[in-house]
Amino acid sequence: MMKSNLRVALLPVAIASALFASTASAEDLAAIEKAAKAEGMLTTIALPHDWCGYGGIIESFQKKYPDIKINELNPDAGSADEVEAIRANKDNKGPQAPDVIDVGFSFGPAAKKEGLLQPYKVSNWDSIPENVKDPEGYFYGDYYGVLSFAVNKDLVKTAPEDWADLLKPEYANSVALAGDPRASNQAILAVYAAGVSAGATGAEAIGQAGLDYFAKMNKAGNFVPTIGKAGTIAQGATPIVIMWDYNGLSARETLKGNPPVDVVVPKTGVVAGVYVQGISAYAPHPNAAKLWMEHLYSDEGQLGWLKGYCHPIRFNSMAAEKKIPKELLDALPPAAAYEKAVFPTVEDQDASKAVVTAKWDAVVGANVK
């Protein structure tokens, strides 16, 4: 099966066809660029350089706009931390106030409702699928992937194939999440995925089943309450980390075989997650923020995410226009692994997130940090 078919399996949505009059024009972009250069800075948050190819994307933006300094805040922050950073810096125009955020899908509507975002429609607005963007332009999908198991092959001789495997005695003191499930979208959806694998239906029931699963894992002594990343995989502190496929693939590339890393898409409970971009309503550098969005949603920016193993949100339209190099498509896992992928709605994510964040301490009792 050609890997280009992945777009069919992963994002079965219609590409928007209407061109909105309020999207940025060439004339607007020239004015935005001039104003952004005058601002001289862009403040980002929660963008690790090994996440989704962000290192290369930041570098390309800096090369394109050398007059705009990028101020990077807290690369390891979770989605809730990003939203809190806007909230906490409403009256602060200093370097701790983020201009832009990149958060889990469910955090977008909540941030909009709270008045923390300002609308902006990028030039390529029409090629962002309708069901992953706010019609008024307050937030819009940027990339997606599925939850997978990143495995240190030196320490784990037989890689787990499914969620149920992680409960086996052979994985004692081995399994970690890639974030705190009380704050991290990636970790919250990992709990959700475990609930889906357990056969639960309905968002709240899925969240509860996921909590019960992790309680069982913690009781068995398999769960490690350390936030997992490439370094902890290599050190052996977290031999198995439940993380987005693109983060696992990036870790595999970063470690260059020392140790060798397997990235396993589970047989069941294959949950896909979309992240969204937004500009702070209180952005100290609003024009630099808009220029950053234009860069991210340009063909160059979208391919930057794909180089980091993420599926950019304009994947469908770019594939149709044959703008995606074959070597980038070939670097992705086989399409068959993604055929059962489930895309939870914002409503499902909200309902499940409420259960997971509120009950994690009581049900699982592991302080992840």
Side-chain angles (χ1 to χ4, degrees):
M1 181 186 243
M2 287 289 292
K3 290 187 178 69
S4 58
N5 288 340
L6 198 57
R7 65 184 187 272
V8 178
L10 274 180
L11 197 62
V13 294
I15 299 299
S17 57
L19 182 64
F20 292 81
S22 56
T23 50
S25 67
E27 198 172 289
D28 295 333
L29 291 178
I32 288 169
E33 183 175 341
K34 183 178 179 181
K37 287 178 178 178
E39 291 169 354
M41 182 178 282
L42 170 74
T43 299
T44 64
I45 184 170
L47 301 184
H49 286 205
D50 59 355
W51 175 294
C52 216
Y54 264 120
I57 292 170
I58 289 169
E59 187 179 330
S60 62
F61 181 84
Q62 198 72 84
K63 189 174 180 181
K64 193 186 294 186
Y65 305 110
D67 297 332
I68 303 172
K69 178 188 174 185
I70 298 185
N71 172 36
E72 300 181 55
L73 302 175
N74 194 1
D76 294 324
S79 296
D81 302 316
E82 296 180 63
V83 175
E84 177 56 31
I86 295 179
R87 195 181 290 124
N89 289 281
K90 286 181 179 180
D91 302 316
N92 173 21
K93 293 296 181 182
Q96 293 306 306
D99 292 306
V100 291
I101 57 172
D102 177 359
V103 293
F105 196 9
S106 65
F107 288 85
K112 176 192 175 184
K113 187 176 181 181
E114 197 178 327
L116 300 177
L117 302 177
Q118 61 176 282
Y120 179 70
K121 293 183 178 180
V122 294
S123 306
N124 285 317
W125 181 258
D126 57 311
S127 61
I128 301 172
E130 293 279 14
N131 66 340
V132 289
K133 65 185 178 187
D134 174 63
E136 297 174 285
Y138 282 89
F139 59 86
Y140 17 94
D142 45 16
Y143 52 81
Y144 54 95
V146 302
L147 272 312
S148 67
F149 311 145
V151 182
N152 179 328
K153 292 174 70 177
D154 278 350
L155 297 177
V156 181
K157 300 309 178 186
T158 304
E161 296 182 356
D162 208 351
W163 292 92
D165 293 339
L166 297 180
L167 301 177
K168 293 178 178 178
E170 64 197 85
Y171 301 121
N173 297 308
S174 296
V175 186
L177 289 166
D180 181 348
R182 295 161 296 191
S184 161
N185 182 71
Q186 181 174 203
I188 291 166
L189 282 177
V191 177
Y192 183 95
V196 171
S197 176
T201 57
E204 291 183 6
I206 289 171
Q208 184 62 52
L211 288 170
D212 294 340
Y213 169 88
F214 276 95
K216 193 180 297 183
M217 182 191 289
N218 192 40
K219 187 176 180 182
N222 289 14
F223 186 64
V224 181
T226 298
I227 292 176
K229 55 185 77 173
T232 61
I233 293 172
Q235 292 157 8
T238 62
I240 301 171
V241 179
I242 302 165
M243 60 189 354
W244 293 120
D245 56 346
Y246 46 81
N247 289 337
L249 293 164
S250 178
R252 185 181 71 182
E253 181 180 291
T254 299
L255 296 173
K256 301 183 188 309
N258 186 28
V261 172
D262 250 351
V263 178
V264 180
V265 176
K267 290 182 176 179
T268 63
V270 184
V271 169
V274 178
Y275 277 71
V276 297
Q277 291 285 330
I279 299 175
S280 167
Y282 304 92
H285 316 103
N287 292 289
K290 292 172 184 175
L291 202 61
W292 172 247
M293 294 301 173
E294 290 294 342
H295 180 64
L296 293 179
Y297 288 85
S298 68
D299 291 350
E300 180 186 1
Q302 297 281 290
L303 291 178
W305 276 326
L306 195 56
K307 286 174 186 173
Y309 305 108
C310 295
H311 284 76
I313 211 68
R314 295 182 53 234
F315 187 96
N316 286 11
S317 62
M318 289 180 67
E321 294 167 17
K322 303 193 185 308
K323 290 182 174 180
I324 301 177
K326 183 177 183 296
E327 62 268 22
L328 291 185
L329 292 172
D330 289 346
L332 302 170
Y338 296 83
E339 287 173 357
K340 294 179 182 176
V342 174
F343 282 80
T345 65
V346 172
E347 292 76 20
D348 284 346
Q349 289 190 49
D350 280 345
S352 180
K353 181 176 76 174
V355 172
V356 173
T357 55
K359 294 186 176 182
W360 174 269
D361 287 338
V363 176
V364 182
N367 185 25
V368 180
K369 56 185 179 180

